[in-house]
Amino acid sequence: MNRQPPVLQVEGLTKHFPVSGHKVVHAVDDVSFSVSRGKTLGLVGESGCGKSSCARTIIRIYEPTAGRILLDGEEISTLNQKQLLPYRKKMQMIFQDPYASLNARMTVHDIIAEPLRAHRVCSSRQEENEMVSDMLARVGLNKEHANRYAHEFSGGQRQRVGIARALILKPELVICDEPISALDVSIQAQVVNMLRHFQEELALTYLFIAHDLSMVRYVSDDVGVMYLGQLVEKCEADEIYRHPLHPYTVGLLSSIPVPNPRMAKAREKSGLEGDLPSPIDPPAGCRFHTRCPYATEQCRQEMPQLKEASSGHFVACHRIFNR
Amino acid sequence: MEHILEVQDLHTSFLTSSGEVKAVRGVSFTVEKGESIGIVGESGSGKSVTSLSVMQLLAGTGRIVGGSVKLNGRELVGLSAKEMRTIRGKEVAMIFQDPMTSLNPLIPVGEQVGEMLWSHDKALSKAEREARVVDLFQMVRIPEADKRLKSFPHEFSGGMRQRVMIAMALACKPDLLIADEPTTALDVSIQDQILKLMRSVQKEMGMSIMFITHDLGVVAELCSRVLVMYGGLIMEEANIFDIFEQPLHPYTMGLIASIPDLNQDKKKRLQPIIGSPPDMIHPPAGCPFAPRCPYACRICLEELPPVFRAGEGHSSRCWLLDEDAPSTGNPLKNRKEGQP
């Protein structure tokens, strides 16, 4: 044993959804990345770029069309649901909408205990009670909250319940699908700090999906940028903000409103023109060429591959490698 | 200066089965001609209810229980629904948060925008109306405007639908445009396009914009003056630079500290505001922010702070600005003395 395999490794992951008229939605197309233990990979992109589909395919809510998913070096993409059960314990998900992702008819105790019951972790009711109240305390709720229902809580408190449910099985990989975008600014920071605290304490590995780029930079070690189902750029988090290479990343970054009026009024903004094309008939060649200010004939015909431009910095763009 | 909108001591409540929710508890402000003012706050702060009160569009049990709203010098509180309809759209128009649900899915977009023109000018012929709608679509930069009149909302993307909403709001050249989180449901790239569009139409038409948002970044991009709301009250009012550089309320300071900027040191933890917003059925007797405020003293819990003036156009509801407030450990006193 010289080297630990990454907690999550994804190779050529593809997810197509059939739609009427014998067409397919190219939700995820040939995406590859890996995340090592205790690290966070941030996935960013506009809505419809496939970041959530990617997460849901990894956790096998959706069946992958093609590609491999390796959890701790073991392939899980070919397992059936029953074989998958022991691996489900190792990967959990925190959802975007703390209103829709908690069952309104279950008490908070039952919501948090459900994963324990599904995996038959506790041998007695007492053990279950102890684990749940311990977990509640760790997410900053108290024992009295256990017998209440989700509607009695604020958005931030509900998201804490969602986090407690995801972490009670002590998973290795936690997929956070926009965990803070439905929360108020003052609450977002609370939740992010809590996620970081648990990561340090439990050596959790995060796949953090968000469209708030400044928050992604703050929580992630590495960042992947997705566009129309494909990974177009991937590198260390600070690097992507300091030296973005792909014209899409550059446009996305310059679209972020800066909470600094002097900078906001002074800077020349480029931004992105137009809308995301349909993933049913993605543009040929580079999928970004319809909105790219530098598109050439080559971009319209030939699909660029994700290649290393400098150490650890991968980008799929002809322009970077042609100059 | 010419006031377009003058709100005086506005109180708005919702009567629910569990009690009276005092959503807005005495808000006063003015909007000048051609300015863009931002109202910032989290959910439940009363920012949307304030704008709906101005529009007289309060749903169900919502009532304006006190105060006055003057638009172009005319009192709106107490006007009949019919009178209000002649003002809405013509003098004040609104863009809502969700472009997916604020358009009628069964009516072509061109007709929906045309309806706005028709309702304020019945003499307009169909051809004239269509020509005006095409102009409006071009103004909000909907590509191939003349071909999109007959399209239905579902044929448009979120960003394009919000452009249709903006076209509708601008149709009768209102003096005041209220935008309630118009970009919250959109991606950053599309948000950026919509903000640019709003800036340019404001320049073209010279109207005033009241921009309601929870995003300080958006405010920094678009507004020249900011009201920070919390617990149904305006906690701080200042120009855009003072809000970010010299905030004079612990809530504003907390809001600014809880967002990471792109230069944030990653090893440093964000400083969240602890706790959660107050229950507006039983609002706290004192300052609504006191239970979450790191500087709260006894008086903060007991008595609502008055509005303290702290310089040109800058005011704040915080006891720390009182003459008798202690100066040790007081973040605002030191700051005030530090000013030239």
Side-chain angles (χ1 to χ4, degrees), chain A residues 46-47 184 190 220 269 272, chain B residues 43 187 189 192-193 266 273:
Chain A
E46 291 166 274
S47 38
D184 274 313
Q190 291 178 10
S220 308
K269 298 222 316 178
L272 286 166
Chain B
S43 17
D187 278 306
S189 53
D192 184 49
Q193 296 173 4
K266 285 171 74 173
I273 302 172

Side-chain angles (χ1 to χ4, degrees), chain A residues 45-48 51 154 157 183-190 192-193 196-197 200 211 213-221 236-238 241 248 251-265 267 269-276 291, chain B residues 41-44 47 157 159-160 184-193 195-196 199 214-224 240-241 244-245 251 255 257-277 292:
Chain A
E46 291 166 274
S47 38
K51 51 194 196 303
S154 66
Q157 285 174 318
L183 305 175
D184 274 313
V185 188
S186 74
I187 309 294
Q188 284 186 356
Q190 291 178 10
V192 162
N193 279 356
R196 286 191 59 175
H197 166 79
E200 283 163 23
H211 62 258
L213 290 122
S214 34
M215 203 52 105
V216 167
R217 176 189 168 271
Y218 177 67
V219 298
S220 308
D221 297 290
E236 201 262 316
D238 285 332
Y241 291 91
Y248 177 62
L252 206 56
L253 284 171
S254 80
S255 311
I256 309 175
V258 193
N260 177 329
R262 287 190 205 279
M263 268 165 76
K265 299 210 155 86
R267 90 193 152 128
K269 298 222 316 178
S270 49
L272 286 166
E273 293 294 322
D275 281 322
L276 203 66
R291 297 167 80 186
Chain B
E42 46 198 302
S43 17
K47 58 189 193 306
S157 66
M160 283 297 154
T184 308
L186 306 174
D187 278 306
V188 276
S189 53
I190 309 298
Q191 163 170 293
D192 184 49
Q193 296 173 4
L195 294 182
K196 272 185 196 153
R199 257 197 307 258
H214 65 273
D215 189 334
L216 285 166
V218 170
V219 167
E221 298 261 344
L222 204 73
C223 301
S224 51
I240 186 76
F241 298 110
F244 283 92
E245 291 160 11
Y251 177 61
L255 272 185
S258 60
I259 41 173
D261 64 47
L262 284 175
N263 304 311
Q264 174 92 20
D265 181 0
K266 285 171 74 173
K267 287 184 198 77
K268 248 175 51 191
R269 284 283 156 92
L270 294 176
Q271 292 174 356
I273 302 172
I274 48 158
S276 39
R292 303 174 77 185

Side-chain angles (χ1 to χ4, degrees), chain A residues 189-235:
Chain A
Q190 291 178 10
V191 171
V192 162
N193 279 356
M194 178 180 292
L195 288 171
R196 286 191 59 175
H197 166 79
F198 281 120
Q199 178 165 45
E200 283 163 23
E201 189 182 307
L202 306 168
L204 296 174
T205 306
Y206 287 146
L207 183 61
F208 193 94
I209 294 163
H211 62 258
D212 179 344
L213 290 122
S214 34
M215 203 52 105
V216 167
R217 176 189 168 271
Y218 177 67
V219 298
S220 308
D221 297 290
D222 294 297
V223 172
V225 181
M226 284 187 75
Y227 187 77
L228 270 186
Q230 296 177 324
L231 204 56
V232 296
E233 184 160 5
K234 186 182 68 169
C235 70

Side-chain angles (χ1 to χ4, degrees), chain A:
Chain A
M1 289 301 264
N2 43 13
R3 212 166 150 248
Q4 256 194 340
V7 170
L8 175 69
Q9 195 172 352
V10 172
E11 286 172 9
L13 189 70
T14 302
K15 177 66 198 171
H16 292 168
F17 294 100
V19 288
S20 62
H22 301 286
K23 288 180 178 165
V24 287
V25 173
H26 297 250
V28 183
D29 248 348
D30 196 19
V31 167
S32 304
F33 58 78
S34 65
V35 200
S36 345
R37 185 169 309 277
K39 298 284 181 195
T40 302
L41 173 70
L43 271 188
V44 296
E46 291 166 274
S47 38
C49 74
K51 51 194 196 303
S52 285
S53 296
C54 186
R56 286 165 177 239
T57 312
I58 289 169
I59 210 157
R60 295 276 310 269
I61 293 175
Y62 298 153
E63 289 303 317
T65 308
R68 282 157 34 101
I69 306 159
L70 290 92
L71 189 67
D72 281 331
E74 290 174 83
E75 173 140 15
I76 59 161
S77 39
T78 52
L79 302 179
N80 64 32
Q81 291 296 339
K82 202 171 169 193
Q83 291 167 320
L84 200 60
L85 201 61
Y87 296 94
R88 287 231 181 269
K89 236 179 112 171
K90 293 190 189 175
M91 46 182 194
Q92 291 291 318
M93 191 151 173
I94 299 168
F95 295 89
Q96 171 172 10
D97 186 346
Y99 293 82
S101 62
L102 302 179
N103 189 330
R105 292 167 173 246
M106 284 165 79
T107 62
V108 163
H109 176 97
D110 286 333
I111 288 169
I112 299 175
E114 199 180 23
L116 295 173
R117 294 173 191 164
H119 290 277
R120 298 176 211 277
V121 176
C122 302
S123 49
S124 69
R125 187 72 199 221
Q126 196 198 343
E127 193 186 342
E128 182 190 293
N129 287 345
E130 273 167 23
M131 282 185 79
V132 170
S133 33
D134 175 55
M135 197 66 231
L136 275 174
R138 291 168 71 176
V139 295
L141 298 172
N142 55 40
K143 253 191 262 169
E144 287 77 62
H145 288 130
N147 295 320
R148 297 204 198 155
Y149 292 88
H151 74 263
E152 298 174 65
F153 293 94
S154 66
Q157 285 174 318
R158 280 177 219 223
Q159 202 55 298
R160 285 163 195 259
V161 175
I163 293 172
R165 173 178 63 184
L167 298 185
I168 194 142
L169 288 169
K170 303 196 171 57
E172 294 180 12
L173 172 69
V174 180
I175 296 182
C176 311
D177 188 3
E178 308 239 12
I180 53 166
S181 38
L183 305 175
D184 274 313
V185 188
S186 74
I187 309 294
Q188 284 186 356
Q190 291 178 10
V191 171
V192 162
N193 279 356
M194 178 180 292
L195 288 171
R196 286 191 59 175
H197 166 79
F198 281 120
Q199 178 165 45
E200 283 163 23
E201 189 182 307
L202 306 168
L204 296 174
T205 306
Y206 287 146
L207 183 61
F208 193 94
I209 294 163
H211 62 258
D212 179 344
L213 290 122
S214 34
M215 203 52 105
V216 167
R217 176 189 168 271
Y218 177 67
V219 298
S220 308
D221 297 290
D222 294 297
V223 172
V225 181
M226 284 187 75
Y227 187 77
L228 270 186
Q230 296 177 324
L231 204 56
V232 296
E233 184 160 5
K234 186 182 68 169
C235 70
E236 201 262 316
D238 285 332
E239 169 82 5
I240 213 155
Y241 291 91
R242 280 197 206 114
H243 308 291
L245 291 177
H246 201 285
Y248 177 62
T249 315
V250 175
L252 206 56
L253 284 171
S254 80
S255 311
I256 309 175
V258 193
N260 177 329
R262 287 190 205 279
M263 268 165 76
K265 299 210 155 86
R267 90 193 152 128
E268 194 63 43
K269 298 222 316 178
S270 49
L272 286 166
E273 293 294 322
D275 281 322
L276 203 66
S278 159
I280 295 179
D281 238 337
C286 173
R287 289 186 179 176
F288 185 59
H289 82 247
T290 53
R291 297 167 80 186
C292 182
Y294 312 106
T296 63
E297 203 44 45
Q298 187 190 13
C299 304
R300 282 179 205 106
Q301 288 171 5
E302 203 181 311
M303 188 184 288
Q305 299 299 314
L306 194 67
K307 285 189 289 196
E308 192 161 16
S310 60
S311 171
H313 195 150
F314 295 83
V315 61
C317 178
H318 292 307
R319 182 165 164 263
I320 304 299
F321 297 99
N322 287 347
R323 53 179 186 202

